[in-house]
Amino acid sequence: MKIGYPCINQSLDCTSSRTFRLASYSEERLVETVALNLACLQRILEYNVQNGLLFFRLTSDLVPFASHEINQFNWQEHFKSEFQQLGSYIKQHNLRISMHPDQFVVLNSPNPQTVKNSIAELVYQGTVLDLMELDTTAKLQIHGGGGYGDKGAALARFAEVYHTQLPEAVKARLCVENDDRTYSLLDCLHLHELTGLPIIFDNLHHECVHNGEPMREAVEMAASTWKPERDGILMMDYSAQAPAERKGKHVQSISEQLFHDFLAETEGMDMDIMLEIKDKETSALKAVEVARALGRL
DNA sequence: CGCGGTCAAGTGGCT
DNA sequence: AGCCACTTGACCGCG
């Protein structure tokens, strides 16, 4: 089991998510920003290794406007050795890596332009992992997309796009996550049957939208969709509901008791856990302690 | 130099 | 009908 946090480290004085406005786009600005982002990413990875945080999600902002038509620069070639060195460090320390294309990536949209943009974004993020020379256990996680009033038809459209439009390099890394309002675990299983995509499990989303499966059973169902030799072990997002806030909103800081309870409920199961909690590595470090005390790490 | 409106992109639930 | 949240704030113009 590996534990981690997404994208941003609040203890360091750098960010790998630097970007700029489209209006101020220039090649010079792009090169400068990517160089700073990659340098910061190396520092974050070193922090993670030193602190036993072996699972990390790379920010989508590593290369600003990477899938936008304004960006015609060959950043892949220009930063080839930097990516390769980052990948080498990742492999050397046996880190698990994921990326999470944002809400604009909708493979089942009725709008062909949206689908096209979504695929371009997936190609970009897959390319980052390819340039790092990571195997296909490094994943790209997306949601099912919109429901459009007919989830069955929407999932069939997703599968159609998957089979006819996605490059193999993307398909090999893609996984789909249950979301907190449209696609439940069972809906994702349906999509898994249509495509073979592994399901990345989110416990808080499952609490929001489910079909009565107890937590342990739900984790087992998601885990069964991962082919160990291709996908590695189950990845999951862990969070808890922010008290007195809108349903699905993430807590500020981990409840060690709730996390302990979750680990107890999934005793004997192996998975890598991404903590989607506002205070980032602070909670991740606490989670590592809880897992260690239970002999899970 | 700090504040706050705005930022490439989609969707659906809530007010 | 418009706002908000989403895996994550950061940028930049203005006072």
Side-chain angles (χ1 to χ4, degrees):
Chain A
M1 173 179 290
K2 294 171 186 171
I3 289 176
Y5 61 99
C7 306
I8 292 165
N9 181 300
Q10 298 179 330
S11 306
L12 298 174
D13 58 2
C14 72
T15 169
S16 59
S17 314
R18 283 176 72 111
T19 183
F20 48 87
R21 299 290 169 84
L22 180 58
S24 36
Y25 183 91
S26 74
E27 213 157 85
E28 186 183 13
R29 185 88 188 255
L30 178 74
V31 170
E32 174 193 334
T33 303
V34 175
L36 288 167
N37 284 344
L38 296 182
C40 183
L41 178 57
Q42 176 64 32
R43 289 184 57 201
I44 294 174
L45 295 176
E46 287 168 8
Y47 173 99
N48 292 350
V49 167
Q50 284 158 17
N51 289 279
L53 299 169
L54 304 183
F55 187 17
F56 189 65
R57 179 185 300 161
L58 308 186
T59 173
S60 303
D61 288 333
L62 221 46
V63 181
F65 303 101
S67 67
H68 191 283
E69 62 180 12
I70 198 173
N71 186 345
Q72 296 299 320
F73 181 70
N74 190 349
W75 54 269
Q76 298 91 332
E77 187 60 34
H78 191 272
F79 291 102
K80 189 175 180 151
S81 74
E82 284 85 348
F83 281 112
Q84 197 172 24
Q85 285 170 39
L86 284 159
S88 168
Y89 186 83
I90 287 164
K91 288 183 282 186
Q92 180 188 344
H93 295 282
N94 203 23
L95 304 178
R96 188 88 186 268
I97 297 294
S98 66
M99 295 184 80
H100 193 341
D102 61 31
Q103 64 270 31
F104 308 109
V105 171
V106 182
L107 287 182
N108 64 3
S109 174
N111 180 348
Q113 190 59 48
T114 301
V115 175
K116 195 177 162 206
N117 294 346
S118 297
I119 294 171
E121 180 69 13
L122 287 168
V123 167
Y124 147 56
Q125 300 202 15
T127 299
V128 166
L129 302 175
D130 290 345
L131 287 169
M132 290 177 171
E133 299 177 349
L134 304 181
D135 65 26
T136 57
T137 65
K139 291 299 186 193
L140 301 175
Q141 68 182 94
I142 62 171
H143 293 290
Y148 311 102
D150 184 346
K151 283 199 284 182
L155 285 185
R157 208 158 54 237
F158 187 118
E160 169 76 9
V161 169
Y162 178 87
H163 289 298
T164 63
Q165 295 190 57
L166 281 188
E168 288 301 322
V170 168
K171 285 159 82 171
R173 296 192 186 280
L174 201 62
C175 57
V176 65
E177 176 190 350
N178 58 307
D179 67 66
D180 62 357
R181 57 187 183 199
T182 307
Y183 292 107
S184 68
L185 177 61
L186 279 189
D187 294 324
C188 291
L189 277 168
H190 180 212
L191 187 58
H192 166 73
E193 285 163 16
L194 296 173
T195 60
L197 283 173
I199 300 171
I200 180 164
F201 181 71
D202 185 306
N203 74 304
L204 181 57
H205 293 169
H206 186 68
E207 286 170 22
C208 295
V209 179
H210 58 81
N211 298 276
E213 308 87 352
M215 194 56 74
R216 182 180 177 89
E217 198 179 303
V219 175
E220 282 172 344
M221 290 163 78
S224 73
T225 64
W226 291 64
K227 286 185 188 161
E229 66 285 356
R230 179 192 69 179
D231 304 319
I233 63 170
L234 173 71
M235 281 181 179
M236 68 164 287
D237 290 343
Y238 175 89
S239 193
Q241 173 68 41
E245 292 276 4
R246 173 190 155 281
K247 189 177 82 163
K249 190 171 165 71
H250 296 156
V251 279
Q252 179 62 34
S253 187
I254 194 171
S255 156
E256 286 156 290
Q257 182 62 52
L258 285 177
F259 187 65
H260 176 279
D261 294 347
F262 179 83
L263 289 184
E265 195 162 5
T266 56
E267 191 186 356
M269 304 175 63
D270 201 8
M271 68 198 99
D272 292 331
I273 304 181
M274 178 67 58
L275 295 180
E276 290 189 336
I277 293 180
K278 298 286 182 199
D279 70 359
K280 304 292 179 182
E281 75 278 5
T282 305
S283 282
L285 291 169
K286 291 178 184 169
V288 165
E289 289 311 311
V290 172
R292 270 203 190 121
L294 286 168
R296 291 289 283 275
L297 292 185

